[in-house]
Amino acid sequence: MDKPLLDAVTEAVQKKKFLKIQYVTDLNEYLTVTTMIKKVEEKEGGPVLELVTGQELAFDQLVKVGDVPAAKYNPRDFTCDC
């Protein structure tokens, strides 16, 4: 389990704050939304986030929550040398 990312998700739920969530869809689309996380539930495939919009995201779909990237991504993936 990605502890820093889980801590960021837990903090966002407790503080009920809007933040940027980046994730990968089942079709491998990279999407970004700014929303609140309503709750986190444990389901058969692992933790699932429910956003205030009603959308559900599996924890393993997360790329970045706020300023905390998932462990499988390098923090330099989020910088731009434009």
Side-chain angles (χ1 to χ4, degrees), residues 2-14:
D2 187 342
K3 179 98 169 91
L5 189 62
L6 184 58
D7 289 345
V9 167
T10 303
E11 179 183 343
V13 171
Q14 290 173 349

Side-chain angles (χ1 to χ4, degrees), residues 5-40:
L5 189 62
L6 184 58
D7 289 345
V9 167
T10 303
E11 179 183 343
V13 171
Q14 290 173 349
K15 292 186 176 180
K16 297 181 180 180
K17 64 180 184 178
F18 279 87
L19 69 161
K20 188 185 298 185
I21 299 173
Q22 298 173 338
Y23 65 98
V24 177
T25 69
D26 295 335
L27 299 173
N28 289 321
E29 300 168 303
Y30 179 82
L31 299 177
T32 302
V33 294
T34 301
T35 188
M36 282 192 325
I37 301 170
K38 184 175 180 181
K39 63 183 174 179
V40 179

